[in-house]
Amino acid sequence: PVPDQFTKLANDPEYQALIKAMDARLTKAVKARRVAKISDPEFFPEGIAYDPKGKQLFIASMRDGRIWKLSLSGKQRPFNAGEAIPRLGLTINPKGELCTVETNGFLKAAESKRINRLRCFTINSGQPARSVMVPDADQLNDLVFTADGTAYLSDSGGGAIAPALMMGAGGVAAG
């Protein structure tokens, strides 16, 4: 049952006018068609990145760290098996590499050995191109690159303010 004060508010003409004005300002979403459903039932999609050069999507698994490559027509294939470390955020860096944050910060395994890493792969081969451990992070979550190649990583486990960590010269984490 809806408490009486909510029913009263919902029927208030001023409230209705406010809701109508807010609805008019919203962009209406169109129901999108599904491009593909990952065929592996163990896959737990989390990060997604678009490669404009190859016109393809990359999807990372939060469960086991695997990455799948998908064409826009829905054709899919594994990109990289990787280690069994969850991968969250994904992006294409200015060098055209697929980059991801890897963390076990939310797993029991982090109690004995915490892993937080920025890792980039060559898109053509799926082989690691560079890797940077971020030992002071609790649980990396997402990443973004600036035009000059600097990486900023969010650390969800580090508190409400996500620290910006930079990938400096030689692939060394600084920040």
Side-chain angles (χ1 to χ4, degrees):
V2 177
D4 195 39
Q5 66 267 27
F6 292 122
T7 304
K8 207 177 200 178
L9 177 63
N11 294 325
D12 182 279
E14 284 183 53
Y15 177 75
Q16 290 298 322
L18 177 63
I19 294 298
K20 190 174 183 178
M22 289 172 59
D23 279 348
R25 297 173 90 179
L26 293 176
T27 302
K28 304 297 180 201
V30 178
K31 185 175 179 176
R33 67 178 178 83
R34 180 183 281 179
V35 173
K37 180 174 171 67
I38 302 293
S39 58
D40 181 350
E42 295 298 311
F43 192 80
F44 190 91
E46 169 63 21
I48 185 168
Y50 176 66
D51 169 23
K53 207 172 186 182
K55 295 185 171 58
Q56 56 197 344
L57 298 168
F58 293 91
I59 317 290
S61 177
M62 186 173 163
R63 181 172 288 147
D64 60 12
R66 290 177 295 147
I67 299 174
W68 282 73
K69 184 189 285 193
L70 283 85
S71 70
L72 295 180
S73 65
K75 183 180 173 187
Q76 55 187 275
R77 68 180 181 86
F79 172 71
N80 185 293
E83 299 172 52
I85 300 169
R87 291 190 172 125
L88 303 182
L90 276 179
T91 193
I92 307 292
N93 71 10
K95 293 182 176 190
E97 300 165 329
L98 177 67
C99 299
T100 183
V101 291
E102 302 173 336
T103 186
N104 69 351
F106 55 90
L107 300 175
K108 190 150 181 72
E111 292 174 11
S112 60
K113 183 181 179 190
R114 185 170 302 274
I115 297 171
N116 283 289
R117 172 173 42 217
L118 165 63
R119 184 174 287 189
C120 298
F121 301 90
T122 59
I123 287 182
N124 292 336
S125 71
Q127 295 301 308
R130 65 190 85 253
S131 177
V132 177
M133 293 298 288
V134 187
D136 295 335
D138 287 325
Q139 179 189 321
L140 293 180
N141 182 50
D142 209 355
L143 71 163
V144 67
F145 282 85
T146 58
D148 70 359
T150 302
Y152 292 91
L153 314 174
S154 64
D155 180 3
S156 296
I161 299 172
L165 304 168
M166 294 183 274
M167 188 171 169
V172 176

